[in-house]
Amino acid sequence: MEDAAANENAGPLLYQWLRANDEGSLAQAATALGLDPREAAAAWAELRTLRLVRPGSLIGDSDLVDPDTALLNLLRHKQGMLRVQYEELTSIVAATESLLDRYRPAAAGPGEQVRVEVIVGARDQRRVIRDFSDVPRTESLTLHADRVPSRTVSQALNSFLTEKSRMVRRGVSVRAIYPQGFNSARWQCKYLAEVQRVGVELRLAPQVPFSLIVGDHDVALLPPYSDQPDDALIVIRGASLVRTYVALYEDYWLRSFPYQGPAPDAGDAETDWLTEQHRTSLRLLANGLTDERIARSMGVSVRTVSRLVSEVARHLGAHSRFQAGVLACARGLV
């Protein structure tokens, strides 16, 4: 500790001795202060770094600078460095804008051009979505926000099944993600089971913010958010932009849960253990409610809800609340 303190004070001691001895040299100062050559060299380097010695002055003929003047010189030096860095950064920004806005389009091939089309009108939108089913050659990705597509349930089911079944027969890999709450009713479970049966790989996500359809990583559709006449369908063409939506889809895919499908009919024994409280808690659980909200809806304590959910999960062999809701719906228990 004493050696470290001595090394730390070597610079101030050297500076003080040189100020008091104008004609003294570094070697004389080291001898007078009891510094070895390495300590003397380090102390002298510190004085030069802090601008306490004018740049270019000789060791034997030191030209010391007051600390206030040294601080101003140091600040001016840093200011100059920052100015140079700012100019370099400005140059890089300008070059980047030029490369992206002027030269990248010039180097891009015809298939890499990005085009965005806005489709309004329900008839034209249905036509675009229907025709899109013939576009994918290798892969089709769909993200469903909150419900079956517009029109009646049976029409939507038949249309989706027909399109995806045709894709699968062509050898297209088809994946679809639905929100967790979508499987809360029997007809919804049946819908998912039918979609899975034709060869679509299904997953359920806790939340799905918007609908998305991607074909072969170079074409994407953003369906209307609602059935309002002024809601537009967005068509995006160009892999450089579509790949962003593909990355978003893959992120949701990794955070979603595989749909298990309906279990074989096990007869009444499958449901004999269920009480009305079990069924109610399962139904609310499948809709994504927390234990606290389920407890308020049922008029019971949170502890009771936790017990009911644990019993259901244990019976179904589920490893999470989410999986318990999926399995319960798939087996027709809610």
Side-chain angles (χ1 to χ4, degrees):
M1 295 293 292
E2 293 180 358
D3 291 342
N7 292 336
E8 183 178 351
N9 293 326
L13 290 174
L14 176 62
Y15 179 75
Q16 187 178 29
W17 191 93
L18 291 174
R19 286 180 65 90
N21 301 272
D22 292 338
E23 301 299 327
S25 66
L26 177 60
Q28 292 172 335
T31 301
L33 297 173
L35 302 176
D36 60 36
R38 186 178 60 179
E39 291 174 330
W44 180 256
E46 181 179 331
L47 297 185
R48 292 180 63 86
T49 300
L50 294 176
R51 298 292 197 275
L52 290 168
V53 180
R54 282 196 176 91
S57 61
L58 298 175
I59 294 178
D61 186 20
S62 61
D63 187 8
L64 301 180
V65 178
D66 289 337
D68 291 345
T69 302
L71 177 60
L72 290 176
N73 291 336
L74 185 62
L75 290 176
R76 291 192 187 100
H77 176 69
K78 295 299 182 183
Q79 186 178 28
M81 292 178 60
L82 290 175
R83 186 181 299 110
V84 171
Q85 292 176 355
Y86 174 77
E87 292 173 353
E88 291 178 349
L89 179 61
T90 302
S91 175
I92 292 174
V93 171
T96 300
E97 292 176 348
S98 181
L99 288 171
L100 294 179
D101 297 339
R102 299 173 57 217
Y103 285 92
R104 185 169 67 174
E112 296 175 350
Q113 299 290 341
V114 173
R115 299 191 303 275
V116 178
E117 185 178 2
V118 179
I119 308 296
V120 294
R123 177 178 298 178
D124 290 337
Q125 291 173 359
R126 288 196 296 269
R127 174 185 55 79
V128 171
I129 293 177
R130 182 182 64 250
D131 294 344
F132 184 81
S133 63
D134 295 325
V135 171
R137 300 176 304 277
T138 60
E139 186 175 38
S140 171
L141 311 174
T142 56
L143 192 66
H144 301 275
D146 57 354
R147 55 187 174 84
V148 176
S150 58
R151 295 168 292 165
T152 66
V153 172
S154 60
Q155 286 178 320
L157 175 60
N158 291 334
S159 175
F160 187 86
L161 287 177
T162 300
E163 295 170 1
K164 301 309 176 185
S165 178
R166 188 163 61 242
M167 289 184 189
V168 172
R169 287 198 301 269
R170 294 203 315 265
V172 177
S173 172
V174 183
R175 288 187 284 163
I177 302 175
Y178 283 86
Q180 172 185 349
F182 184 81
N183 70 330
S184 58
R186 286 181 181 271
W187 71 266
Q188 291 172 323
C189 294
K190 179 181 179 181
Y191 174 85
L192 295 177
E194 289 296 316
V195 171
Q196 188 179 55
R197 184 183 60 80
V198 300
V200 177
E201 190 174 358
L202 282 176
R203 288 197 174 192
L204 301 181
Q207 291 182 336
V208 178
F210 61 92
S211 295
L212 171 68
I213 307 172
V214 178
D216 293 335
H217 293 200
D218 53 16
V219 184
L221 302 184
L222 296 175
Y225 186 77
S226 68
D227 289 329
Q228 297 301 318
D230 56 345
D231 273 357
L233 165 70
I234 309 299
V235 182
I236 303 172
R237 304 181 190 278
S240 58
L241 179 56
V242 174
R243 69 167 62 101
T244 301
Y245 290 97
V246 174
L248 177 66
Y249 186 90
E250 296 296 346
D251 179 65
Y252 272 96
W253 185 262
L254 291 176
R255 292 189 288 113
S256 59
F257 194 86
Y259 180 66
Q260 301 295 331
D265 187 10
D268 294 338
E270 178 68 22
T271 59
D272 285 346
W273 62 277
L274 280 176
T275 66
E276 189 58 35
Q277 279 190 329
H278 284 122
R279 293 181 184 277
T280 302
S281 62
L282 271 176
R283 185 170 61 255
L284 298 175
L285 177 65
N287 280 292
L289 272 64
T290 62
D291 285 357
E292 290 75 11
R293 293 185 61 186
I294 294 175
R296 287 197 299 269
S297 299
M298 296 178 60
V300 298
S301 66
V302 175
R303 185 174 181 178
T304 298
V305 172
S306 298
R307 176 180 58 80
L308 292 171
V309 172
S310 296
E311 290 173 354
V312 170
R314 185 169 59 253
H315 184 87
L316 295 175
H319 301 292
S320 66
R321 292 164 47 88
F322 182 27
Q323 186 181 13
V326 173
L327 294 176
C329 180
R331 298 181 185 182
L333 303 180
V334 293

